[in-house]
Amino acid sequence: MPDPPIDPSVFQEPHLTQSHHSPDPSEEIAGVTLPSKSKEDDLADQCVFDEPSYSGSVPEDALTYWKWIEKRSRETTLSQSLGMTCLLVLAAGPWAVIGAMAQGGST
């Protein structure tokens, strides 16, 4: 790899030089977008009516974050909620025991 030029000006940046350059392969991931669970999730997250400085009235059909939370809560069954809670307890419990044992008796 050649040494960088001594000139510290911004005109030595690759996109400002006359020569063509190849992009860094690690930057290819920047063009990849992760799939969202649904378009509704994104809309609720970007609702302008939830802004703290917004003082106008909220339309009835506007999907605010609170309405989205209420809708998702209604869609979640008791068995789904208990199942996820049990899964988290089973996953976190051993780590809590290991952490307590690692502390020893030091307080």
Side-chain angles (χ1 to χ4, degrees):
M1 184 168 171
D3 289 333
I6 308 261
D7 184 15
S9 73
V10 296
F11 298 108
Q12 293 300 323
E13 293 292 325
H15 65 283
L16 295 176
T17 60
Q18 297 297 329
S19 63
H20 295 287
H21 67 283
S22 59
D24 186 358
S26 65
E27 293 181 2
E28 289 179 8
I29 196 168
V32 176
T33 56
L34 298 174
S36 176
K37 195 165 193 174
S38 74
K39 183 74 172 166
E40 188 177 67
D41 295 351
D42 290 336
L43 290 174
D45 190 38
Q46 300 173 4
C47 180
V48 71
F49 302 113
D50 289 329
E51 294 292 326
S53 61
Y54 183 76
S55 59
S57 62
V58 179
E60 288 291 325
D61 60 341
L63 181 64
T64 61
Y65 189 72
W66 183 251
K67 287 180 183 178
W68 178 80
I69 289 287
E70 288 176 333
K71 181 179 181 283
R72 297 288 290 204
S73 294
R74 283 191 305 270
E75 292 173 353
T76 305
T77 63
L78 179 63
S79 61
Q80 287 175 327
S81 180
L82 288 175
M84 187 57 68
T85 302
C86 289
L87 208 102
L88 288 171
V89 166
L90 290 174
W95 290 106
V97 171
I98 291 170
M101 291 174 70
Q103 284 291 324
S106 62
T107 55

